[in-house]
Every structure is written in structure tokens, then in C-alpha cells.
Amino acid sequence: MADHTGDGQITVLALSGGGPFGAGVLAGWTQTGQRPEADVVTGVSAGSLLSTYAFLGPAYDEAEREIYASITTQGVYKKRELIEVPFSSSLVKQKPLRLLMEVMMSDDVLDRVATQRRERGRCLLVALTDLDNGRVVVWDLTSIAASNRSDRRELYVDALIASSAIPGFFQPV
């Protein structure tokens, strides 16, 4: 992992819930001219959805703002028919959010994440809960982005969706 400060310290940016608030804070921080480049960016819940663009830096602030300013509940989930609920693992379907993440997490974006790992030693992590074992699991998105897996984009999006999922409300990933 890189030490960009040169003083033996690692800068970490931790993003949690409240996506629109987090996007606003990042944009405002950029405007002050004081936003550092973090060696490690972490995300959980709505913070995981913001983490990739936060990791890639201020050039993505406007995209973050546009997404959070325009997204509606219909852009995140679709309610199941009442008859479906007893036979399902969740109350809603996350298909709209998955489609949005697939557009946002293009191969170009993943390549940029991978480049940060290879050339600068930076790291992007998201946390999620393994409901089967009741444990927190941390996924290294920079390793996924840098992999040669044919399904790297699908796995990357799966990690983001799993991190942001509300158990019972959203489908398990």
C-alpha cells in the first residue's frame, strides 16, 4: 500500500450511509481545495455505492451529484407483487439499482480503479455482512478491478449491491 504523505502514515477515507450527503461533502471538500487523495477508500451501505467515484477523485464529483440529485426510489428498487412476497427472499427487487451500477461501473471505470492499484498502490474496499455466518466480510474492489476474470464487472457490482443491501428488504447477493 502506498504512503502518499511521505511521513509513514496512510490516509483513509471511510464512507458510510447517507449517499446524497456523502456526495455533497466530497464535492464541498473538493471546492475548498483541501480534499486529500486517500491511500485507502472504504465504503459500507450507501457509502459503498459512492466509494468508486470517491476513490477516483474530484473528476467524478459532478457525476456523483447528478446521480444522487436525480435518483428516485424507482431507480433503486421495484416493489414485488403482494402474491410474490411469501415466496421470495425480499420485499423488493433491486434490478433498477443493479442496472444503474452496471452503467456506472463501466470497464473504463474499473480499468481506472485497477490503474490506481497497480501504479499508485491505492486500495478500495467495501464491507458487507455474510448473513449465513453473521460476519463482516471485506471485499477488495481494486483486486477485482485489476483481475483478468471475465466476470470482474459482475463481481464488482455484486459486491457493491451486497454492501448496500438491507437484509429482508433487498434480495441477498
Side-chain angles (χ1 to χ4, degrees):
M1 194 169 323
D3 166 19
H4 292 111
T5 61
D7 62 3
Q9 295 183 6
I10 294 174
T11 304
V12 178
L13 173 62
L15 302 163
S16 61
F21 178 76
V25 167
L26 289 171
W29 202 358
T30 297
Q31 290 175 355
T32 69
Q34 301 297 312
R35 180 175 166 185
E37 178 181 88
D39 302 304
V40 179
V41 174
T42 67
V44 67
S45 191
S48 66
L49 302 177
L50 182 62
S51 66
T52 300
Y53 283 1
F55 180 76
L56 293 175
Y60 288 84
D61 285 354
E62 186 59 33
E64 290 166 359
R65 272 191 296 223
E66 285 179 28
I67 290 163
Y68 282 109
S70 64
I71 199 160
T72 63
T73 55
Q74 292 83 11
V76 176
Y77 64 84
K78 181 181 177 194
K79 291 181 182 178
R80 291 187 183 280
E81 297 296 326
L82 195 53
I83 192 75
E84 292 179 283
V85 173
F87 306 102
S88 177
S89 59
S90 66
L91 295 174
V92 300
K93 299 174 190 176
Q94 280 182 280
K95 185 79 170 172
L97 181 59
R98 177 171 293 283
L99 293 173
L100 176 62
M101 287 294 107
E102 288 172 355
V103 169
M104 290 173 55
M105 301 305 134
S106 66
D107 286 330
D108 179 60
V109 167
L110 268 60
D111 289 345
R112 290 172 190 257
V113 169
T115 297
Q116 289 296 310
R117 170 63 162 244
R118 280 193 299 272
E119 295 180 4
R120 315 245 0 253
R122 296 178 68 222
C123 190
L124 172 58
L125 309 169
V126 295
L128 52 105
T129 302
D130 178 346
L131 294 176
D132 292 333
N133 299 309
R135 296 183 359 202
V136 173
V137 178
V138 177
W139 284 69
D140 182 348
L141 295 183
T142 40
S143 290
I144 294 170
S147 76
N148 293 325
R149 294 176 59 123
S150 61
D151 66 343
R152 75 176 180 146
R153 195 162 143 222
E154 180 181 349
L155 183 59
Y156 194 101
V157 169
D158 280 348
L160 294 175
I161 298 293
S163 179
S164 66
I166 301 167
F169 190 70
F170 293 125
Q171 296 164 275
V173 178

